[in-house]
Amino acid sequence: MLLCVDCGNTNTVFAVWNGAEIVATFRTSTEHQRTADQYYVWFSTLMEHRGLPIDIDAVIVSSTVPRVVFNLRVFSDRYFSCRPRVVGKPDCALPIEPRVDAGTRVGPDRLANAAGAWDRHGGDLIVVDFGTATNFDVVAEDGAYVGGVIAPGVNLSLEALHVAAAALPHVDVTMPPQVIGRNTVDCMQSGVFWGYVGLISGICARIKAEYGRPMKVISTGGLAPLFQQGDTLFDMFEDDLTIHGLTVIHSYNHKNGVHPAP
């Protein structure tokens, strides 16, 4: 089975793929100091709890936090006797190479999103990924990542508002009962919620106008369903898009005989 590891700035997702479907998904906080042994104790305990065999024979990693990659490599080597593919490294080929400015390093999560979205929906796409940052990824007709937009994440914006303004409390992200708030919490929630609805619709409209062709908008990430309530922002929501993209990239490398560097 294939173990897909999607390491973001806030959370890390481990997903087990049996070649046909994802059979288990586990989430933990991202901590660069976590050792290979700690990863294995956590992962094996959850697999045993689910009654699943730990017969991993391949690992692929997407990480926006470079410092965690070393221990994930050790984890893969020590417990599964395999070198992991790491998206963004020269020994991990992509189905279609990104078309961006020379020397630009594209985030591995964005490359995985592009591969997963193209596999499921074809090209001419905008992928909106709600994470620590809110990413807008543009996928061309042939599946290439061709650029995008990076905006502050929703929770990051709320935290900055709370930290910078001493009188404002920390609030949850939710759709407010009405646009005009009649107390501080409702005012803050309205500003963040409707502000991001406007940001998403505005940026997507500008991308479509600049791209010059009809495009579908695909959302992913935990807060995407929440923002779908505010307007018809997305054509489709994909809960596991990044993980699916990792399986696509792994399959492409496996079929083409591309092996991880020793």
Side-chain angles (χ1 to χ4, degrees):
M1 291 193 291
L2 171 68
L3 174 60
C4 301
V5 182
D6 173 26
C7 178
N9 290 293
T10 305
N11 292 316
T12 297
V13 176
F14 281 51
V16 180
W17 186 56
N18 66 4
E21 61 180 349
I22 300 294
V23 296
T25 301
F26 310 118
R27 184 180 297 268
T28 185
S29 58
T30 298
E31 297 176 4
H32 70 268
Q33 70 270 27
R34 183 170 289 153
T35 67
D37 298 333
Q38 288 174 315
Y39 277 120
Y40 185 74
V41 169
W42 171 79
F43 176 70
S44 61
T45 300
L46 290 172
M47 289 289 283
E48 290 171 6
H49 179 73
R50 294 282 298 273
L52 295 170
I54 309 175
D55 55 354
I56 304 298
D57 55 20
V59 178
I60 185 167
V61 176
S62 163
S63 177
T64 59
V65 184
R67 294 177 69 185
V68 307
V69 174
F70 174 79
N71 283 328
L72 288 171
R73 285 188 185 274
V74 175
F75 163 71
S76 179
D77 283 337
R78 180 176 297 168
Y79 292 103
F80 307 125
S81 301
C82 66
R83 292 291 288 174
R85 304 184 195 278
V86 179
V87 178
K89 299 297 184 182
D91 57 346
C92 183
L94 300 171
I96 301 291
E97 288 298 315
R99 293 194 291 273
V100 293
D101 291 345
T104 299
R105 181 185 179 275
V106 181
D109 54 333
R110 309 182 84 173
L111 297 174
N113 283 345
W118 182 72
D119 183 68
R120 285 181 170 171
H121 303 285
D124 296 332
L125 305 173
I126 303 170
V127 179
V128 184
D129 188 352
F130 291 85
T132 304
T134 301
N135 291 332
F136 297 75
D137 303 321
V138 179
V139 184
E141 183 180 17
D142 62 354
Y145 171 88
V146 295
V149 175
I150 300 175
V154 179
N155 286 312
L156 189 62
S157 296
L158 269 175
E159 185 64 25
L161 191 62
H162 168 63
V163 170
L168 297 181
H170 188 279
V171 299
D172 293 329
V173 183
T174 189
M175 183 176 179
Q178 54 197 23
V179 177
I180 302 173
R182 288 179 168 79
N183 57 68
T184 301
V185 170
D186 283 355
C187 287
M188 292 175 66
Q189 289 176 334
S190 184
V192 170
F193 182 85
W194 292 111
Y196 268 86
V197 168
L199 180 145
I200 295 161
S201 61
I203 289 179
C204 286
R206 288 180 178 273
I207 289 174
K208 290 177 180 179
E210 187 172 291
Y211 192 75
R213 298 179 59 171
M215 304 179 79
K216 292 181 181 178
V217 181
I218 312 299
S219 68
T220 191
L223 290 176
L226 170 66
F227 284 94
Q228 185 63 52
Q229 299 178 67
D231 208 341
T232 307
L233 298 173
F234 315 118
D235 296 295
M236 185 74 67
F237 166 67
E238 295 280 4
D239 182 49
D240 62 345
L241 187 62
T242 309
I243 294 297
H244 179 66
L246 291 178
T247 69
V248 171
I249 294 171
H250 169 79
S251 296
Y252 177 81
N253 281 263
H254 182 71
K255 290 176 182 177
N256 289 278
V258 181
H259 301 290

